[in-house]
Amino acid sequence: MTNQTRRSGTALLVAVSFIGSSAIPLISATSALAQTTFNDVPTNYWAQPFIQELASRDILKGFPDGGFRPNDPVTRAQFAAILSKATNKSPIRGDVSFVDVSSNYWAASAIQKSYTTGFMSGYPGNIFEPTQNIPRVQILVSLANGLNYSASQAPETILQTYADASGIPNYARNSVAAATENRLVVNYPNVQFLNPNQPATRAEVAAFIYQALVRSGQVTAIASPYIVGQTTTTPPVQNQVRIPAGNTIAVQYSKDKILLGPDEKVPLTLTVSQNIANPQGMILIPSGTQVVGELRTVSGGAQFFASELVFSNGRRVAINGTSKVVTTTEKVDKGISVGKVVQNAALGAAAAAAIAAVTGDRAIATEEVLGGAGIATLLGLFLGRDSVTLASVNPNTDLAVTLNSDLLLQ
């Protein structure tokens, strides 16, 4: 066993038990009081074994209503808290003061621990973004870095495993290759699609953390067809339908306009505006299917990033698609009619704060505000300005989603 493997093997655990005179890292005994079954995680759910095992060790918990909410996204602060419960690694660097994590923030100690142990880092300017939904790729980078994993062969060779490898950010390619080689990666519903930039769900985080425990020798491996590199039965592909990359999905929204402020990203759910059928006339994606994702300001404009399709029966399918970059802007000047600006519009919180600050009209708080921080929190950023330029999107014409990778439907 190499020194690197030995260090990695002792990094992930829940408790340290003592046997005789030797300190041996072990998973804590299953708690008789821990809730291990959940009303929204059936026994045939793909991640049920991972969730049950981590719940039995109090690494993950459910909610008072008896549910686990496996499809809910995980924030960076929540992931730090999970790491704090699942790891016991000595610090490798000193403390840091993140400007957006106060000392009394609920996850402050967990965030600090995730940083000092090398699992997580912040953004330039000592920013942590605790409420940001953490993408799958950041989970894998965190685990690979924190456990000192490195790939034994060329990363680009390993990454050929994924049909959407081109979407893996450059900074993450070595770490994702290392995570892949160490069998930390679990891809559902198709093992060939990493969906690196899609927000990680609670179920996916459970699977990644459990695989890290397996690699560290702390728990027994679970046989799952969705573990990349595990020699098990192949995931079922009966009646699988592939919609090739490059195809476009027309979408619609209940508002005529969406306004975004500078450096803003907001959750957005669109709907498919017309049936998508194969050449034989079979409907593959019915109109009304939800397209879940984020609308973000990017260099040169605004762009929608689709991450998931939600069908009327509740079925969810991962999607990797984006709209064009929308370059339309709208200037808001002091004295302008706020009612005209916000008429049948949805606003990002930053846009709402900018309009309120420039015009002095706080009534826009009653309009539809899309996620993000509260208006009051952002108001100070725009006070004193006589005008502001906002990104303006017509969701019914500007946000058609083009597939960046093949879409697999079952």
Side-chain angles (χ1 to χ4, degrees):
M1 179 182 290
T2 66
N3 288 335
Q4 178 175 315
T5 303
R6 187 176 297 113
R7 286 196 302 272
S8 300
T10 58
L12 272 171
L13 51 98
V14 176
V16 176
S17 299
F18 293 89
I19 300 178
S21 60
S22 301
I24 302 176
L26 295 173
I27 288 295
S28 60
T30 301
S31 170
L33 300 178
Q35 179 186 1
T36 59
T37 59
F38 304 95
N39 56 31
D40 54 359
V41 182
T43 55
N44 62 348
Y45 183 65
W46 72 270
Q48 187 271 340
F50 304 109
I51 293 170
Q52 180 175 322
E53 288 297 323
L54 293 190
S56 72
R57 291 165 171 80
D58 282 330
I59 296 175
L60 292 175
K61 294 182 181 293
F63 293 88
D65 63 0
F68 183 78
R69 303 177 192 172
N71 295 317
D72 277 9
V74 175
T75 66
R76 283 170 53 82
Q78 290 168 344
F79 180 62
I82 294 170
L83 281 174
S84 183
K85 283 193 170 188
T87 67
N88 187 16
K89 181 184 176 185
S90 299
I92 62 170
R93 55 188 176 185
D95 290 351
V96 66
S97 178
F98 291 114
V99 297
D100 53 351
V101 180
S102 62
S103 59
N104 62 351
Y105 184 64
W106 72 269
S109 61
I111 290 171
Q112 194 66 236
K113 179 181 176 182
S114 74
Y115 175 82
T116 60
T117 53
F119 280 95
M120 299 185 75
S121 295
Y123 295 100
N126 281 357
I127 296 171
F128 188 79
E129 295 280 7
T131 61
Q132 181 186 77
N133 290 339
I134 187 167
R136 285 166 53 87
V137 69
Q138 283 190 21
I139 302 284
L140 297 174
V141 169
S142 169
L143 293 175
N145 290 350
L147 296 172
N148 301 319
Y149 291 154
S150 60
S152 65
Q153 55 182 308
E156 294 307 314
T157 300
I158 299 172
L159 295 181
Q160 291 177 7
T161 300
Y162 304 113
D164 55 354
S166 62
I168 302 172
N170 288 335
Y171 80 87
R173 298 183 79 83
N174 289 347
S175 297
V176 171
T180 301
E181 194 171 61
N182 284 277
R183 296 184 180 176
L184 303 191
V185 185
V186 185
N187 292 339
Y188 175 85
N190 190 304
V191 75
Q192 294 180 336
F193 284 83
L194 180 64
N195 294 303
N197 302 306
Q198 179 176 303
T201 65
R202 283 168 53 82
E204 290 168 340
V205 169
F208 290 153
I209 290 289
Y210 191 86
Q211 285 303 108
L213 291 170
V214 171
R215 177 62 180 82
S216 301
Q218 304 300 309
V219 295
T220 303
I222 289 172
S224 168
Y226 305 109
I227 298 172
V228 177
Q230 179 163 293
T231 54
T232 61
T233 56
T234 303
V237 294
Q238 297 92 335
N239 301 319
Q240 189 177 76
V241 175
R242 181 188 300 267
I243 300 178
N247 276 278
T248 299
I249 301 174
V251 296
Q252 60 187 8
Y253 189 59
S254 58
K255 301 290 185 179
D256 294 332
K257 178 173 65 175
I258 301 175
L259 297 176
L260 295 183
D263 300 318
E264 183 161 33
K265 56 184 177 182
V266 296
L268 182 64
T269 299
L270 306 172
T271 57
V272 176
S273 60
Q274 57 189 37
N275 292 334
I276 296 177
N278 64 13
Q280 290 73 42
M282 177 184 294
I283 296 176
L284 306 178
I285 305 176
S287 63
T289 299
Q290 293 182 331
V291 185
V292 180
E294 276 189 337
L295 183 62
R296 311 171 191 168
T297 52
V298 297
S299 177
Q303 189 173 23
F304 179 66
F305 293 77
S307 60
E308 191 175 41
L309 293 178
V310 182
F311 291 80
S312 59
N313 62 0
R315 182 166 66 102
R316 295 174 178 265
V317 175
I319 180 176
N320 175 17
T322 51
S323 72
K324 67 180 182 180
V325 176
V326 183
T327 58
T328 308
T329 60
E330 183 168 344
K331 187 178 181 183
V332 178
D333 296 308
K334 179 181 277 188
I336 197 172
S337 169
V338 174
K340 182 178 179 181
V341 173
V342 302
Q343 183 177 5
N344 204 30
L347 311 175
I355 295 170
V358 168
T359 65
D361 189 339
R362 304 298 191 265
I364 55 96
T366 61
E367 301 298 319
E368 180 178 351
V369 177
L370 300 169
I375 296 175
T377 305
L378 299 169
L379 199 61
L381 299 176
F382 304 98
L383 289 174
R385 296 192 188 185
D386 292 327
S387 66
V388 65
T389 300
L390 307 174
S392 179
V393 175
N394 182 333
N396 297 298
T397 59
D398 294 338
L399 299 185
V401 174
T402 299
L403 297 178
N404 298 323
S405 59
D406 292 356
L407 174 62
L408 299 179
L409 302 172
Q410 287 182 313

